Amino acid sequence: MSVPPPSKHQLALMIWLAVFPTLVVLNLSLGRVIADLAVVPRTFVLATAAVPVVIYGLMPQLHRLRARLLTSG
């Protein structure tokens, strides 16, 4: 059975579920290292680390989980 792509609302939730914990972990692990940076460079470092984790690591897993949930009924 083919699973349709997520709606905008589902995709927004999936992105939030991936981005929020990733940023929390990065802030906890890199917080002291980047604390002295200005806001823009600090944000750049966090985004540069977070985007690959979210796109290549977490989003594929969330898409697979969503497909399993939709087809297990």
Side-chain angles (χ1 to χ4, degrees):
M1 178 177 163
S2 180
V3 177
S7 69
K8 288 180 186 179
H9 302 296
Q10 290 171 342
L11 189 57
L13 177 61
M14 292 167 66
I15 291 169
W16 186 88
L17 287 171
V19 170
F20 179 75
T22 301
L23 290 176
V24 169
V25 169
L26 287 173
N27 271 305
L28 290 172
S29 58
L30 297 176
R32 290 187 176 138
V33 176
I34 63 174
D36 294 333
L37 294 176
V39 172
V40 173
R42 187 170 61 236
T43 303
F44 177 79
V45 168
L46 290 174
T48 301
V51 168
V53 169
V54 169
I55 296 301
Y56 299 112
L58 298 176
M59 287 305 291
Q61 292 180 27
L62 288 172
H63 279 283
R64 282 192 291 276
L65 176 61
R66 178 182 169 274
R68 254 186 267 133
L69 290 170
L70 292 175
T71 59
S72 68

